[in-house]
């Protein structure tokens, strides 16, 4: 696999790149690129500046077609000089503006997460690509000032906790996608024979064997209990979590939320392997006959390239990122 890096849509700087990696994570919205770049005399004259665009294209060795994998903005630049001057550049796609900008909203009840996402994107001139109907009606929001990414995460959490599907926002050169986790058309089978290493972790940290859901409290009164659900208390003991959400108004909703929060031991996997550049956080992959959701991936581009990847079951991902 080869890659090409274009500055400001018209200048090929691929020959100046020493290192290039792409990082995607369920913990962040924006896809990022890290570049190490040698500063030549010519580049010194023209300069590289924050706010300029960077495009990264990849091409498989058996293909004549290039694919654009990120179209982003130079966010951070750090320079060092010994014998040769180098720049360490961090690039984020356009969804970075959603994580850094704040706004005040007041939403009525009955809207869906996809309808609200369209409003956020329109307000910030973020192009949309694939935005499916999430179908779950959301509660009225309290008027508040929050980062746009926090508004989005709240909508997607509420959707999941009310029995809806699991979604995350992903930016592509074509536009913003509201992606249902695990719905990728191409599911990669990652075989053990290409691993540098693989690690499996099992822990009782952050598990919940009993969950209590509390309603909105009144002045000087205890919060009403909407639901209590127990799981594997006989096996792991009582480890209780509390859910207190003003959006929960019925016992049925509370019961679903409590059941979703119950968990046994936490199990996840991490691996270092040959790079598969198209894998993004939220994708489904197969390892050792297991269906796992990617929670983190870092692609070190090259030939053949290298990939650090972290994964968990659908249940793990729902508990870790949506409750």
């Amino acid at each position: 696999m080869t890659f090409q890096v274009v500055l400001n849509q018209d200048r090929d700087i691929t020959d100046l790149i020493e290192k290039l990696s792409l990082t995607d994570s369920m913990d962040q919205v924006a896809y990022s690129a890290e570049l190490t770049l040698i500063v030549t005399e010519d580049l010194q004259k023209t300069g590289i500046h924050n706010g300029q665009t960077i495009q990264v294209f990849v091409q498989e060795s058996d293909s004549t077609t290039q694919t654009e994998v990120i179209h982003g903005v130079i966010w951070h630049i750090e320079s060092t000089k010994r014998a040769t001057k180098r720049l360490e550049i961090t690039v984020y796609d356009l969804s970075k503006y959603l994580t850094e900008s704040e706004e005040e909203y007041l939403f009525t009840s009955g809207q869906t997460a996809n309808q609200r996402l369209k409003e956020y994107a329109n307000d910030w001139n973020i192009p949309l690509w694939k935005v499916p109907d999430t179908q779950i009606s959301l509660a009225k929001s309290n008027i508040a000032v929050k980062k746009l990414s926090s508004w989005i995460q709240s909508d997607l959490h509420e959707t999941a906790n009310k029995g809806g599907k699991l979604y995350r926002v992903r930016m592509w050169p074509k536009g913003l996608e509201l992606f249902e986790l695990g719905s990728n058309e191409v599911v990669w089978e990652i075989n053990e024979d290409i691993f540098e290493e693989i690690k499996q972790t099992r822990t009782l940290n952050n598990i919940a064997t009993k969950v209590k859901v509390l309603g909105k409290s009144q002045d000087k009164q205890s919060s009403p209990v909407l639901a209590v659900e127990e799981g594997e208390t006989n096996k792991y003991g009582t480890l209780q979590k509390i859910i207190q959400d003003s959006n929960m108004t019925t016992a049925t909703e509370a019961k679903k939320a409590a059941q979703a929060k119950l968990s046994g031991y936490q199990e996840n996997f991490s691996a270092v392997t040959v790079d598969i550049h198209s894998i993004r956080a939220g994708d489904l992959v197969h390892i050792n006959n297991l269906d796992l959701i990617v929670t983190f991936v870092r692609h070190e581009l090259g030939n053949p390239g290298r990939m650090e990847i972290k994964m968990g079951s659908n249940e793990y991902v729902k508990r870790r990122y949506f409750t």
Side-chain angles (χ1 to χ4, degrees):
M1 183 198 74
T2 60
F3 63 81
Q4 180 185 23
V5 181
V6 176
L7 174 66
N8 261 4
Q9 303 185 56
D10 60 5
R11 182 174 184 181
D12 190 332
I13 58 171
T14 308
D15 290 343
L16 306 181
I17 304 298
E18 279 192 330
K19 295 179 182 178
L20 171 58
S21 64
L22 306 172
T23 301
D24 197 17
S25 171
M26 290 288 295
D27 288 311
Q28 64 184 39
V29 174
Y31 200 23
S32 65
E34 299 282 343
L35 302 88
T36 301
L37 182 148
I38 297 175
V39 180
T40 61
E41 183 176 343
D42 182 50
L43 188 65
Q44 185 79 36
K45 293 177 182 178
T46 57
I48 289 184
H49 308 287
N50 301 81
Q52 290 181 318
T53 62
I54 289 284
Q55 294 167 272
V56 178
F57 301 85
V58 299
Q59 182 176 328
E60 300 294 349
S61 56
D62 59 352
S63 173
T64 58
T65 303
Q66 280 191 328
T67 301
E68 187 177 9
V69 292
I70 186 171
H71 188 144
V73 175
I74 296 176
W75 210 264
H76 181 80
I77 303 173
E78 191 171 302
S79 64
T80 59
K81 186 174 182 180
R82 293 186 179 90
T84 303
K85 185 175 181 180
R86 289 173 170 80
L87 297 180
E88 302 287 340
I89 297 174
T90 302
V91 174
Y92 290 103
D93 65 33
L94 294 182
S95 64
K96 182 67 171 175
Y97 290 94
L98 301 178
T99 70
E100 297 298 323
S101 300
E102 297 178 338
E103 183 57 288
E104 180 182 69
Y105 286 101
L106 174 63
F107 291 112
T108 59
S109 61
Q111 292 176 301
T112 57
N114 59 287
Q115 289 173 331
R116 292 182 182 179
L117 179 63
K118 290 178 181 179
E119 185 169 339
Y120 307 137
N122 181 67
D123 289 347
W124 253 254
N125 296 315
I126 304 294
L128 294 171
W129 181 34
K130 296 179 180 179
V131 183
D133 184 357
T134 55
Q135 299 182 343
I136 302 297
S137 294
L138 305 179
K140 177 183 177 180
S141 72
N142 295 321
I143 190 167
V145 176
K146 295 191 294 187
K147 287 187 176 180
L148 291 170
S149 57
S150 294
W151 283 108
I152 293 170
Q153 290 304 106
S154 295
D155 298 340
L156 299 181
H157 286 188
E158 186 180 344
T159 298
N161 289 331
K162 288 183 173 180
K165 296 176 180 179
L166 308 184
Y167 296 91
R168 76 173 296 242
V169 169
R170 305 197 304 195
M171 192 74 197
W172 297 88
K174 294 180 180 179
L176 195 66
E177 174 189 33
L178 185 57
F179 177 72
E180 180 189 342
L181 300 193
S183 66
N184 42 301
E185 293 183 5
V186 177
V187 178
W188 287 97
E189 181 80 38
I190 305 178
N191 298 316
E192 284 190 348
D193 57 0
I194 63 172
F195 289 146
E196 286 185 31
E197 66 177 41
I198 183 169
K199 181 169 67 174
Q200 178 183 7
T201 302
R202 289 178 288 182
T203 180
L204 293 181
N205 288 339
N206 300 316
I207 76 168
T209 59
K210 183 179 180 181
V211 179
K212 183 184 293 186
V213 182
L214 303 179
K216 187 175 182 180
S217 61
Q218 304 297 323
D219 291 341
K220 299 180 180 180
Q221 295 183 17
S222 299
S223 301
V225 178
L226 299 181
V228 177
E229 292 290 316
E230 288 195 22
E232 297 177 292
T233 53
N234 291 336
K235 191 172 184 179
Y236 300 119
T238 301
L239 293 159
Q240 180 172 284
K241 301 290 186 181
I242 299 290
I243 298 175
Q244 189 161 27
D245 187 344
S246 60
N247 292 328
M248 295 290 174
T249 56
T250 68
T252 300
E253 290 178 349
K255 184 178 180 70
K256 286 183 180 179
Q259 290 174 340
K261 188 76 170 177
L262 287 173
S263 61
Y265 68 83
Q266 305 286 293
E267 181 179 35
N268 55 77
F269 299 81
S270 60
V272 178
T273 182
V274 173
D275 187 39
I276 303 171
H277 71 82
S278 60
I279 291 177
R280 294 283 303 265
D283 281 353
L284 176 69
V285 295
H286 290 156
I287 293 183
N288 297 340
N289 297 317
L290 296 174
D291 290 341
L292 300 172
I293 300 295
V294 177
T295 59
F296 170 90
V297 61
R298 175 178 288 119
H299 303 282
E300 297 177 8
L301 300 189
N303 193 9
R306 189 168 178 267
M307 176 173 68
E308 178 186 351
I309 187 169
K310 297 180 182 180
M311 303 148 288
S313 67
N314 189 74
E315 291 75 17
Y316 167 80
V317 170
K318 184 173 183 177
R319 292 193 301 265
R320 169 67 174 78
Y321 297 99
F322 291 90
T323 61

